[in-house]
Amino acid sequence: MKVLKPLFCLILVLPLWGCEELEELLEEEFDVNVSFNRQIHIDIQPTGDPTEAVSFSESAVINLTNAPELDEFRETNNRTEVTAININRIRYFYKDVAGNENAVVAAEFQIPLIVAAPDVFGTPQVNLFEAATTPNPNIIDGDFTNINSLLNNLTGFSTLELEYVGSVSDNPIEFTVDVTIDATLTLEIQV
């Protein structure tokens, strides 16, 4: 009988609540820190003049709602939705460098969305062979306010394109930029 009284009271009160309040009662939000790793490969062929600078542009696509860290939430509840995305930092390092040992890279990461100009995050100029020997990743932890605002104002947005655009001072050169985007995803779980 003690169990039935609260249940009876809840049944009487539910019709008095609006649907919106009831939905909020049945939803939970969690912030989950995730990391998306991609490798961007740059292959600059010889131009005939090994000191000629050559421009490049390569990109990688990241599915923001498909992070392995979200699997445990989806296993327990298939009604899990990503409601907010906040990029916290970009980490990167150079590896697999081969070619002209004098090659210096001057580049930037760009995150284009449905806007006139992409958000740009510059990287310092470095000799690729020297940079590839550095064990610690380079970190961009600047202001991501604009890109985060755009990401969260676009409905149904689940992928992000990360472009690596710049030039190398000497050729031929081939290298890989190993990039990790650290982000916080807000999940809404309907119980």
Side-chain angles (χ1 to χ4, degrees):
M1 189 67 172
K2 289 183 181 181
V3 175
L4 292 176
K5 282 184 182 179
L7 186 59
F8 181 71
C9 290
L10 185 61
I11 291 172
L12 288 176
V13 172
L14 283 178
L16 300 177
W17 276 344
C19 290
E20 207 170 287
E21 288 84 7
L22 184 58
E23 281 180 16
E24 287 177 17
L25 182 65
L26 298 176
E27 294 173 352
E28 293 184 55
E29 282 196 347
F30 295 94
D31 285 340
V32 180
N33 293 325
V34 297
S35 294
F36 302 98
N37 181 261
R38 295 294 179 273
Q39 297 189 11
I40 300 174
H41 187 74
I42 309 295
D43 186 4
I44 306 294
Q45 297 298 311
T47 64
D49 177 2
T51 61
E52 180 181 351
V54 180
S55 298
F56 62 82
S57 177
E58 292 292 334
S59 64
V61 175
I62 297 166
N63 184 336
L64 297 167
T65 60
N66 202 18
E69 294 91 342
L70 305 181
D71 290 346
E72 73 176 79
F73 292 96
R74 291 197 172 113
E75 286 174 8
T76 58
N77 189 330
N78 62 359
R79 293 172 26 169
T80 301
E81 180 183 343
V82 176
T83 57
I85 301 164
N86 287 301
I87 295 173
N88 301 320
R89 69 180 178 174
I90 298 173
R91 295 178 285 148
Y92 68 97
F93 61 91
Y94 300 101
K95 65 181 192 178
D96 304 330
V97 178
N100 192 321
E101 293 183 3
N102 296 321
V104 172
V105 64
E108 61 194 19
F109 291 103
Q110 297 181 0
I111 302 176
L113 289 175
I114 307 168
V115 292
D119 270 16
V120 174
F121 305 97
T123 62
Q125 288 187 7
V126 292
N127 175 285
L128 285 164
F129 279 88
E130 291 174 11
T133 63
T134 305
N136 298 325
N138 300 290
I139 297 175
I140 300 172
D141 57 359
D143 184 7
F144 297 103
T145 306
N146 186 44
I147 192 72
N148 288 338
S149 175
L150 288 169
L151 281 171
N152 293 309
N153 284 329
L154 297 172
T155 56
F157 199 81
S158 63
T159 61
L160 178 73
E161 184 178 3
L162 179 67
E163 294 181 350
Y164 187 63
V165 179
S167 65
V168 289
S169 63
D170 296 84
N171 67 86
I173 190 74
E174 186 175 356
F175 62 99
T176 299
V177 185
D178 192 310
V179 186
T180 301
I181 294 181
D182 295 321
T184 301
L185 302 185
T186 301
L187 303 181
E188 182 179 278
I189 300 177
Q190 296 180 358
V191 222

